[in-house]
Amino acid sequence: MTYRLRLLGRFELSTADGNEIPLSGKKNQALLAILAVAGGEWVPRARLCDLLWQDRGETQARNSLRQSLAALRRAFAAHETFPVLVNDDAAAIDPNSIRPDTLRMNGAATPDAVDDLDYAEFLDGLSINGQAIEHWLGAQRQRYAVAFGDALAARMSELEGAGDGQRALAAARRLLALDPLNENGHRAVIRLLARLGERSAALKHFEACRDLLKAELDVEPEAATVELYETLRAEG
């Protein structure tokens, strides 16, 4: 059996046909996520303890890890396959038994795959006390946000190059929804609006971009953004 694991957005574990598998406990969910992101690589027990139970002594942390692994086993007890591999020193996910949605991000930069991806923050809403696990969560959130942003930027450029202005504009706006301070995205919106005959909207977008950068970063738009604006204004 292959299970589905949603990590982009709120944690959700289900069977292949969509039946939810309840898994309570933030650390139990985080443990499964850590193993899933490792993609089949063995994660040392010491590393798992450091991430999830750094505030406890070694003996207590290892006992907590055993209890969390037992909770995972109970969650899958009614199903055919337990997708976690365990030995005395480490644990791993069986990549043939569980497929996290983050795998789709690995191929998001292929030409049109990003069109079908709806991005949500990695483990949205999950917060666990502890510097190590919060740092790990932050790193994963940044990793997938950057990957999705890069994929959107590539798709936007591809569509613009192919002369598909409307879809390129939609991709640019998705990029700005993810990263409102991305000037490459703002320039694309300005440029594409102008090419689609919406010069007034393009000029207004520059002004909104300028105001946003000033309010959020106390900086002026980049020279390329200003040059684009001045060129459009002169054409009027």
Side-chain angles (χ1 to χ4, degrees):
M1 175 179 286
T2 301
Y3 304 101
R4 299 176 182 174
L5 178 60
R6 180 185 179 191
L7 299 177
L8 297 175
R10 292 193 174 270
F11 180 97
E12 184 177 293
L13 177 64
S14 64
T15 61
D17 55 6
N19 292 319
E20 184 180 359
I21 301 174
L23 178 61
S24 60
K26 292 181 179 181
K27 291 190 177 181
N28 296 334
Q29 294 176 1
L31 173 60
L32 188 60
I34 292 166
L35 298 176
V37 166
E41 298 278 337
W42 287 91
V43 183
R45 284 179 180 256
R47 169 64 173 161
L48 296 171
C49 288
D50 287 343
L51 281 173
L52 292 166
W53 297 281
Q54 69 174 156
D55 58 335
R56 302 180 185 180
E58 180 180 354
T59 299
Q60 188 177 9
R62 284 185 170 270
N63 184 54
S64 295
L65 174 58
R66 283 193 294 271
Q67 292 176 3
S68 193
L69 288 169
L72 293 185
R73 190 175 292 277
R74 288 193 298 273
F76 289 97
H79 304 279
E80 297 176 8
T81 307
F82 182 50
V84 179
L85 310 174
V86 180
N87 63 31
D88 290 342
D89 300 314
I93 206 78
D94 178 0
N96 295 317
S97 297
I98 192 164
R99 295 189 63 80
D101 60 352
T102 49
L103 287 176
R104 299 181 67 200
M105 291 297 297
N106 296 336
T110 58
D112 60 358
V114 71
D115 292 345
D116 299 322
L117 287 174
D118 291 322
Y119 180 77
E121 185 175 74
F122 182 85
L123 289 178
D124 186 26
L126 185 69
S127 179
I128 301 174
N129 290 332
Q131 184 176 1
I133 187 59
E134 284 296 339
H135 177 78
W136 183 85
L137 285 169
Q140 299 307 313
R141 286 163 180 162
Q142 177 71 7
R143 168 190 175 186
Y144 290 111
V146 168
F148 191 66
D150 289 347
L152 277 174
R155 182 59 169 156
M156 176 185 73
S157 296
E158 180 187 62
L159 290 167
E160 184 176 4
D164 193 340
Q166 290 288 358
R167 293 175 70 197
L169 180 59
R173 284 177 166 155
R174 289 179 74 194
L175 178 59
L176 290 181
L178 179 69
D179 180 7
L181 299 176
N182 188 311
E183 275 202 65
N184 182 46
H186 283 291
R187 282 193 294 273
V189 169
I190 295 167
R191 187 171 59 248
L192 289 162
L193 284 171
R195 288 180 183 175
L196 290 168
E198 299 182 47
R199 178 176 167 277
S200 177
L203 295 174
K204 287 181 179 178
H205 188 90
F206 169 82
E207 294 168 358
C209 169
R210 179 192 59 201
D211 293 345
L212 178 65
L213 292 171
K214 185 65 176 178
E216 295 293 328
L217 302 176
D218 195 24
V219 299
E220 296 297 321
E222 295 172 359
T225 312
V226 175
E227 181 180 357
L228 176 60
Y229 169 73
E230 295 293 351
T231 299
L232 289 177
R233 193 171 66 167
E235 290 174 354

